[in-house]
Amino acid sequence: MKKVTMADVAKLANVSKSTVSQYLNKRYEYMSEETRKRIAQAIEELGYQPNVIARSLKQKTTATIGVIVFNMLHMLTTQVLHAIEEECQKRGFQVIVCNSGDDSEKEKKYVDMLLAKQVDGLIVFPTGKNEEVYRRLVEERFPLVFVDRMVPGVEADSVLLDNAGAAEMAVQYFASYGYDRIAIVTPPLVPYNVPRMERFEGFRAAMEKRGFEVGDQNVIAAEPAALPRELKKRFMESERPNALFAINDLTLMGVLRFVKETGIRMPDELAIINIDDVPFADIYTPALTTIAQPTFAMGKKAAERVFEQMDSNHADSPRVFRFSPALVERTWIKRGNGKEGRRNDEDS
């Protein structure tokens, strides 16, 4: 079967090849609505498929954005990805998604692969390592945006939650109901993981601000799969926590497994708040109070910044965008003496 060409489309639509080219590149400024409809109809009738590779070589763009995430299982990741994809689609760009699994070597290989595919920009949920890789991209003014994390030593656009503010919000909420034995539950604390460290430092500052003791007894750090075991050890002690602050959705899963295995009653014996408004929060019994991240706004901003860098004729100064957390109040929270309670059925 003869391959349909741009000339065939132009002939059927009764326009020039250059007009068809302008249509394909979404340059509609000097094109009437009727002309656009004729070209669209001709493309559909002939089944024309543009030669993407040829167009990219001519235009020096592939109309693709590479996205590298550190964990596809995080709810934050999927929600931010949805916003990025939607924003790119509006501009006629496709998204290539890679999952590093929080492995810095795998992350580096994906960066090399995406650059070889000549993507027009990168949005990365970085492992926190590969400093030299990203510094080189910044020096070359390659469009680059970090999400959720930053890479120490690399000055690039970054989109993050106000992590310290989220920790303060959790401690303040617990304290307002009389909880004074509050523990943070987190994956292992490593210096290159920015949000993890910011949430921990924010927690410590919020505790000290209220005169609460902060020490090893207030920090339960382990991978999610090991958390039930670690929590059981901690809850065998006499002065066990009466409130837990889980720093993300995967950590929350470890906490809830512990609650199920031990039969601890919520909120009579234990109150929980976590960052990430998990989908099952309002149907869990009792319903979970969470701290939501504005994931859609974060993803939209990340995509916008990549396109701004692509469109800019000069190097803008890198910026860090901090997004405010929001408390979603659902749980019955009992006061410390266990005699009074409060419930707010409306999400804050």
Side-chain angles (χ1 to χ4, degrees), residues 120-138:
D120 298 306
L122 284 174
I123 298 174
V124 184
F125 296 66
T127 60
K129 302 175 183 178
N130 289 316
E131 178 181 341
E132 289 303 319
V133 173
Y134 294 119
R135 183 181 289 130
R136 175 171 53 86
L137 293 178
V138 170

Side-chain angles (χ1 to χ4, degrees), residues 18-51:
S18 63
T19 301
V20 175
S21 177
Q22 289 173 359
Y23 174 87
L24 293 172
N25 292 309
K26 303 184 185 298
R27 294 198 292 267
Y28 308 131
E29 295 86 349
Y30 306 105
M31 193 180 305
S32 69
E33 183 64 26
E34 184 190 351
T35 299
R36 289 172 60 180
K37 288 181 179 178
R38 289 208 315 272
I39 295 173
Q41 186 176 348
I43 289 173
E44 183 177 358
E45 185 176 330
L46 294 170
Y48 174 67
Q49 294 290 333
N51 188 326

Side-chain angles (χ1 to χ4, degrees), residues 23-266:
Y23 174 87
L24 293 172
N25 292 309
K26 303 184 185 298
R27 294 198 292 267
Y28 308 131
E29 295 86 349
Y30 306 105
M31 193 180 305
S32 69
E33 183 64 26
E34 184 190 351
T35 299
R36 289 172 60 180
K37 288 181 179 178
R38 289 208 315 272
I39 295 173
Q41 186 176 348
I43 289 173
E44 183 177 358
E45 185 176 330
L46 294 170
Y48 174 67
Q49 294 290 333
N51 188 326
V52 176
I53 295 176
R55 286 173 62 199
S56 67
L57 290 173
K58 184 176 180 180
Q59 299 170 13
K60 297 183 179 179
T61 175
T62 58
T64 55
I65 299 295
V67 182
I68 303 175
V69 303
F70 58 77
N71 193 333
M72 289 290 286
L73 297 178
H74 271 295
M75 192 186 70
L76 166 75
T77 303
T78 56
Q79 292 183 343
V80 170
L81 272 176
H82 175 72
I84 291 172
E85 192 275 336
E86 188 170 291
E87 193 64 25
C88 288
Q89 189 178 51
K90 289 178 184 177
R91 300 169 186 258
F93 275 66
Q94 302 299 313
V95 176
I96 301 175
V97 181
C98 304
N99 181 31
S100 73
D102 223 3
D103 182 326
S104 59
E105 285 301 315
K106 195 174 179 181
E107 176 187 35
K108 183 179 181 301
K109 289 179 181 178
Y110 276 136
V111 170
D112 293 340
M113 180 271 288
L114 290 168
L115 292 177
K117 288 185 178 293
Q118 297 183 314
V119 295
D120 298 306
L122 284 174
I123 298 174
V124 184
F125 296 66
T127 60
K129 302 175 183 178
N130 289 316
E131 178 181 341
E132 289 303 319
V133 173
Y134 294 119
R135 183 181 289 130
R136 175 171 53 86
L137 293 178
V138 170
E139 290 173 353
E140 295 175 359
R141 298 183 181 180
F142 186 84
L144 172 67
V145 177
F146 293 139
V147 178
D148 189 54
R149 302 178 179 180
M150 294 182 287
V151 179
V154 179
E155 294 186 3
D157 278 353
S158 302
V159 177
L160 304 96
L161 182 71
D162 176 3
N163 292 300
E168 163 66 27
M169 185 177 286
V171 174
Q172 166 59 29
Y173 190 80
F174 283 139
S176 69
Y177 286 97
Y179 290 95
D180 56 357
R181 299 193 309 278
I182 309 166
I184 185 172
V185 187
T186 172
L189 295 168
V190 288
Y192 55 81
N193 190 304
V194 172
R196 200 175 297 178
M197 296 306 299
E198 287 184 346
R199 291 171 192 181
F200 170 68
E201 293 297 338
F203 169 79
R204 183 162 62 182
M207 294 284 283
E208 292 175 347
K209 174 181 174 181
R210 291 164 177 82
F212 294 157
E213 185 178 358
V214 181
D216 292 342
Q217 74 280 3
N218 300 97
V219 182
I220 302 168
E223 295 296 344
L227 275 176
R229 181 176 66 252
E230 293 302 315
L231 284 162
K232 285 176 184 177
K233 292 179 184 177
R234 181 66 187 83
F235 274 69
M236 290 177 64
E237 301 172 11
S238 56
E239 285 294 308
R240 68 188 197 180
N242 55 15
L244 296 178
F245 168 45
I247 73 162
N248 60 33
D249 56 339
L250 296 184
T251 301
L252 171 67
M253 296 302 293
V255 172
L256 294 181
R257 287 192 185 96
F258 158 74
V259 169
K260 181 180 179 180
E261 290 172 6
T262 57
I264 287 178
R265 293 174 298 158
M266 295 169 51

